[in-house]
Amino acid sequence: MNSTVRGYFHPKTATGAASLIPAPPWQYSGDLLTVEYRTDPQRVRELLPAPLELAEEDPGAVALIWADWQSCSSSREELLDPVRAQYREAFAVVRCAYLGRTYSRCVYIWVDKDFALARGLHQGYPKKLGSIHQTRPHPYGPAPRIEAGARFGATLAAADRRLAEATFTLREESAAHGFVNGHPMIHHRWLPSIEKGKGLALDELVETGAASFEAGPAWAADAELSLFDSPTEELARLEIREPIGAYYRQVGVSWDGGRLLESGTSGAG
């Protein structure tokens, strides 16, 4: 008699309790620090496989975002076991065009927990492990309040090398929270065949976005951002040519699946 194994993701077991991630929906509460700038549009183009093209408007715009998250499944049980809920990430987002529509696309992203990495790979995010830190607000003591003049820092490192660092000084409440990460996400889900020379076993172009979203006031900020070279990372190729803006915001997001746009037509090599 064959055994039945359960679980949304590996490892699948008799009970499914050891699965690295539960089934969606996945829910998130987080503090986001965002800095937007312009780079050489050709550096964005080189990260867009077919059939994606540069966005018509402001094609060199980049958003680098730090996020301090608490996340959970629909049961919310992870919130009472915080090691399964809390993680941090930093990610670079550009915009692109597909069939005449503008999308956001995450081109680099680092996280500090395995369950967040697995969720991202399922969604098409190119997640890697890294070391991410950002200042947390607090209404008492020396930590910054969410108010004009409050200062925040953020750092990103991977493979023992610092990749980026930024400082933010909140200026005023803002109607906007940036524009680069403001569209549905368009990603590729790729998995090489187990047989040599057989290409991709999974090759999908997908659209994803929030099933629900809520947020507190956005704050515009003055920011200073530095990027650093690394032998194993390429974030610094998105060099800073001109600052656009910076923001702080607290958000709540739910994710519950995406939509297949194309299959088997990517430019992956």
Side-chain angles (χ1 to χ4, degrees):
M1 181 176 178
N2 292 331
S3 298
T4 297
V5 292
R6 298 174 175 84
Y8 187 74
F9 203 80
H10 298 301
K12 292 180 179 288
T13 64
T15 68
S19 178
L20 185 54
I21 52 176
W26 302 323
Q27 301 178 52
Y28 306 79
S29 299
D31 290 55
L32 273 59
L33 289 165
T34 301
V35 57
E36 294 185 335
Y37 66 92
R38 293 183 178 94
T39 191
D40 179 353
Q42 295 307 312
R43 293 292 173 88
V44 175
R45 183 188 291 277
E46 70 186 21
L47 295 171
L48 301 178
L52 306 182
E53 302 287 346
L54 284 172
E56 288 189 12
E57 182 182 352
D58 221 341
V62 178
L64 186 56
I65 304 165
W66 278 264
D68 189 359
W69 293 114
Q70 295 187 86
S71 66
C72 61
S73 60
S74 56
S75 72
R76 302 193 178 185
E77 63 186 37
E78 296 89 347
L79 297 177
L80 300 181
D81 189 8
V83 70
R84 298 160 57 201
Q86 296 174 357
Y87 72 99
R88 288 166 293 198
E89 67 184 0
F91 52 107
V93 177
V94 301
R95 297 182 310 143
C96 61
Y98 170 71
L99 297 182
R101 184 180 181 185
T102 301
Y103 286 87
S104 300
R105 181 176 176 88
C106 179
V107 291
Y108 299 118
I109 181 168
W110 296 264
V111 297
D112 61 3
K113 290 288 183 68
D114 57 359
F115 63 83
L117 188 148
R119 278 193 313 220
L121 295 180
H122 171 72
Q123 297 165 309
Y125 285 85
K127 290 194 175 184
K128 301 175 72 173
L129 289 177
S131 175
I132 303 99
H133 297 277
Q134 66 189 76
T135 308
R136 293 171 174 163
H138 198 279
Y140 303 106
R145 280 72 164 164
I146 304 174
E147 61 186 11
R151 303 193 71 211
F152 295 78
T155 62
L156 163 65
D160 288 338
R161 275 94 170 183
R162 180 159 292 192
L163 306 180
E165 61 186 23
T167 58
F168 299 77
T169 303
L170 302 193
R171 191 171 63 245
E172 60 192 2
E173 287 195 25
S174 170
H177 184 225
F179 66 95
V180 179
N181 195 37
H183 308 277
M185 305 297 294
I186 192 165
H187 288 148
H188 282 87
R189 289 171 16 108
W190 288 320
L191 182 68
S193 171
I194 198 69
E195 296 187 57
K196 289 185 67 174
K198 292 297 182 70
L200 294 173
L202 176 66
D203 184 4
E204 295 181 343
L205 182 68
V206 299
E207 175 187 322
T208 71
S212 65
F213 177 85
E214 60 181 335
W219 282 81
D222 297 316
E224 295 183 3
L225 173 66
S226 298
L227 306 179
F228 306 101
D229 290 325
S230 163
T232 58
E233 305 293 348
E234 300 182 59
L235 177 63
R237 287 185 62 79
L238 296 174
E239 60 188 16
I240 304 164
R241 289 198 167 180
E242 179 186 1
I244 297 175
Y247 307 91
Y248 169 87
R249 200 176 197 187
Q250 293 179 314
V251 304
V253 182
S254 176
W255 188 89
D256 196 18
R259 182 169 71 96
L260 178 64
L261 299 176
E262 294 189 20
S263 181
T265 59
S266 81

